[in-house]
Amino acid sequence: MQYLVSVIDDTPNSATDAEMVAIDAFNDGLIADGHWVFAGGLAAPDSATVIDNTGAAPIFTDGPFVESKEYLAGFWVMEAPDLDVALKLAAAGSKACNRRVEVRPFL
Amino acid sequence: MNSYEAAITRVHHEEWARVVASLAKRFGDLDIAEEAAAEAFATAVERWPETGVPPNPGAWLTTTANRKAIDRLRRETKRDDKHKEAQMRYEEPPEPLGAIDDERLRLIFTCCHPALAMETRVALTLRMVAGLTVPEIARAFLVQETAMGQRITRAKAKIKAANIPYRVPSAEDLPTRVSGVLAVLFLVFNEGYLASSADTDPVRQELTAEAIRLTRLIRTLLPADGEVAGLLALMLLTEARRTARVSATGELVSLDEQDRGSWDTTLIAEGHQLVRERLAARVRPGRYQILAAINAVHTSARDARDTDWSQVVALYDQLRVLDPSPIVALNHAIAMAELDGPDVALAAIDRLEPRLAAYHPYHAARADLLRRLGRSQESRTAYDKAIALTANTAETAYLTRRRSQLS
């Protein structure tokens, strides 16, 4: 099954060169072992726009849908047979990007 | 209780975990396993008075529970889509064996998974492994029945949705995962040994007994693990003093005032044997082994005055290296009072105030030291704080009497 591993951050600084090297190595490992699905880094929350088209006309609002000190800075989608494997991968991912991560299963 | 009720109670105690574990393995779903096991026990309650207890009650229950689970899945299949039936027919996928292959142990490790909150692990273990009912667990942990029911339901849903595997962790993970399991069992034991509520018995034997039973189970499966042996020894040496610990009038009896003749010598002998075994292993002891050794020193003294306090203090010194928590420091200071006098201990305890101000044993210990130093007024204030912070009826009675004896 697939797991979303969200990278949690509280500063808009992007990854350092050393972190980028570690992330690349980690990603190579995911690909080699068949866990890789997709991954990406995200721009800071202040670049977000919320769209609400549930009414008559779409409404565009500047900013993220939830204001919080911590936000989603990037993510991996990983293929893993169970949570134990996903947790192990996520722990290695947290080490590589030097940030906290959250693991959630896809439905 | 008639003989059938007694038989069913005994079988429930002995077989519940095995039945749930075998169904959880077969169907890969804790909900189905639990409900089918409960239905099978309900059927036993109806049938056995007529047919007699079957020669192998465990096998009878497992077979019946399996049938109930399949019936339930069939009913759901008819209502929903075909995928449940497909899942039923699906050959059991070959699973890599964990370090130990035991279904009950898998169940314990699943319930004590580190991805679940500690309180949830305790609740789920009591429900799935020990077979306690939701109202019983709710009472033990002072929460509303509906809240406890929801907590257990959410935990089972997370196990399913996140695919928490139903297996004993691999050998490399075992040491870290066992420690979580032992922590759960120690919490269950402590809640039984000093119930945190005013609404229950001060000591809840069903919880201490269950914690010991489950720790014994872990021990049979991991006989070489020193901390498992240590926790079992610690529980046995503590349980041995249980009946001496509350007086006929429902008051807590402190260790030095207990009738040592009423301690359970069989449990003490078994606990001492485990402690000796760990000493002979010559491996650096963990937290539970050191706590067991401290209890072995206490239970070795025929009279409280014969307690080898220097040994106790030395063991607490060792424990403080492993566990620098203020609670360990408090117990260390209490032991120091016997060796170096109450004034030295009080100075050590006072330094812990910022971190232990809300912990009632801190104030109780302080009150006792102040009493011994003849500082009655300060002692009274400390007793008041301790009384205000504890809900255990036996402890409140004890502290109230000690306060009233102050000059």
Coordinates of all heavy atoms in Angstrom, one line a residue, chain B residues 142 194-202 360 386-397 399:
Chain B
L142 N -10.6 5.5 34.8 CA -11.3 6.7 35.2 C -11.8 7.5 34.0 O -11.8 8.7 34.1 CB -10.4 7.6 36.0 CG -9.9 7.2 37.3 CD1 -9.0 8.2 37.9 CD2 -11.1 6.9 38.2
L194 N -2.0 0.3 43.1 CA -2.4 1.5 43.8 C -3.4 2.3 42.9 O -3.0 3.1 42.1 CB -1.2 2.4 44.1 CG -1.5 3.6 45.0 CD1 -1.9 3.2 46.4 CD2 -0.4 4.6 45.1
A195 N -4.7 1.8 43.0 CA -5.7 2.4 42.1 C -5.8 3.9 42.3 O -5.7 4.4 43.4 CB -7.0 1.7 42.4
S196 N -5.9 4.6 41.1 CA -5.8 6.0 41.1 C -7.2 6.7 41.4 O -7.3 7.9 41.4 CB -5.2 6.5 39.8 OG -5.9 6.0 38.7
S197 N -8.2 5.9 41.6 CA -9.5 6.5 41.8 C -10.1 6.2 43.2 O -9.8 5.3 43.9 CB -10.5 5.8 40.8 OG -11.8 6.0 41.2
A198 N -10.9 7.2 43.6 CA -11.6 7.0 44.9 C -12.8 6.1 44.8 O -13.4 5.6 45.8 CB -12.0 8.4 45.4
D199 N -13.2 5.8 43.5 CA -14.4 5.0 43.3 C -14.2 3.5 43.2 O -15.1 2.7 43.0 CB -15.1 5.5 42.0 CG -15.5 6.9 42.1 OD1 -15.7 7.4 43.2 OD2 -15.4 7.6 41.0
T200 N -12.9 3.1 43.3 CA -12.7 1.7 43.1 C -12.0 1.2 44.4 O -11.7 2.0 45.3 CB -11.7 1.4 42.0 OG1 -10.4 2.0 42.3 CG2 -12.2 2.0 40.7
D201 N -11.8 -0.1 44.5 CA -11.0 -0.7 45.6 C -9.6 0.0 45.5 O -9.1 0.2 44.5 CB -10.9 -2.2 45.5 CG -12.2 -2.9 45.8 OD1 -13.0 -2.3 46.4 OD2 -12.4 -4.0 45.3
P202 N -9.0 0.2 46.7 CA -7.7 0.8 46.7 C -6.6 -0.1 46.0 O -5.7 0.4 45.3 CB -7.3 1.0 48.1 CG -8.3 0.2 48.9 CD -9.5 0.0 48.1
H360 N 2.0 13.5 44.5 CA 1.7 13.3 45.9 C 2.7 12.6 46.8 O 3.0 13.0 47.9 CB 0.2 12.8 46.2 CG 0.1 11.3 46.0 ND1 -0.3 10.8 44.8 CD2 0.3 10.3 46.9 CE1 -0.3 9.5 45.0 NE2 0.1 9.2 46.2
A386 N -0.2 16.4 50.3 CA -0.3 15.1 49.8 C -1.7 14.5 49.8 O -2.1 13.9 48.8 CB 0.6 14.2 50.7
I387 N -2.5 14.8 50.8 CA -3.9 14.4 50.9 C -4.7 15.0 49.7 O -5.5 14.3 49.1 CB -4.5 14.7 52.3 CG1 -3.8 13.8 53.3 CG2 -6.0 14.5 52.3 CD1 -4.1 14.3 54.8
A388 N -4.4 16.2 49.5 CA -5.2 16.9 48.4 C -4.9 16.3 47.0 O -5.7 16.4 46.1 CB -4.9 18.4 48.4
L389 N -3.7 15.7 46.9 CA -3.3 15.3 45.6 C -3.6 13.8 45.3 O -3.4 13.3 44.2 CB -1.8 15.6 45.4 CG -1.4 17.0 45.1 CD1 0.1 17.2 45.3 CD2 -1.9 17.5 43.8
T390 N -3.9 13.0 46.3 CA -4.2 11.6 46.1 C -5.7 11.3 46.1 O -6.4 12.0 46.9 CB -3.5 10.7 47.1 OG1 -3.7 9.3 46.8 CG2 -3.9 10.9 48.5
A391 N -6.1 10.3 45.3 CA -7.5 9.9 45.3 C -7.7 8.5 45.9 O -8.8 8.1 46.2 CB -8.1 10.0 43.9
N392 N -6.6 7.8 46.1 CA -6.7 6.5 46.6 C -7.2 6.5 48.1 O -6.6 7.1 48.9 CB -5.3 5.8 46.5 CG -5.3 4.3 46.9 OD1 -5.3 4.0 48.1 ND2 -5.3 3.5 45.9
T393 N -8.3 5.8 48.3 CA -8.9 5.8 49.7 C -8.0 5.3 50.8 O -7.9 5.9 51.9 CB -10.2 5.0 49.7 OG1 -9.9 3.7 49.2 CG2 -11.2 5.7 48.8
A394 N -7.2 4.3 50.5 CA -6.4 3.7 51.6 C -5.2 4.7 51.9 O -4.8 4.8 53.0 CB -5.8 2.4 51.1
E395 N -4.7 5.3 50.9 CA -3.6 6.3 51.1 C -4.1 7.5 51.8 O -3.4 8.0 52.7 CB -3.0 6.6 49.7 CG -1.7 7.2 49.9 CD -0.8 7.3 48.6 OE1 -1.4 7.2 47.5 OE2 0.4 7.3 48.7
T396 N -5.3 8.0 51.5 CA -5.9 9.1 52.2 C -6.0 8.8 53.6 O -5.7 9.6 54.5 CB -7.2 9.5 51.5 OG1 -7.0 9.7 50.1 CG2 -7.8 10.8 52.1
A397 N -6.5 7.6 53.9 CA -6.8 7.2 55.3 C -5.4 7.2 56.1 O -5.3 7.7 57.2 CB -7.4 5.9 55.4
L399 N -2.5 8.8 55.3 CA -2.0 10.1 55.5 C -2.7 11.0 56.5 O -2.1 11.7 57.3 CB -2.0 10.9 54.1 CG -1.0 10.3 53.1 CD1 -1.3 10.9 51.7 CD2 0.4 10.5 53.4

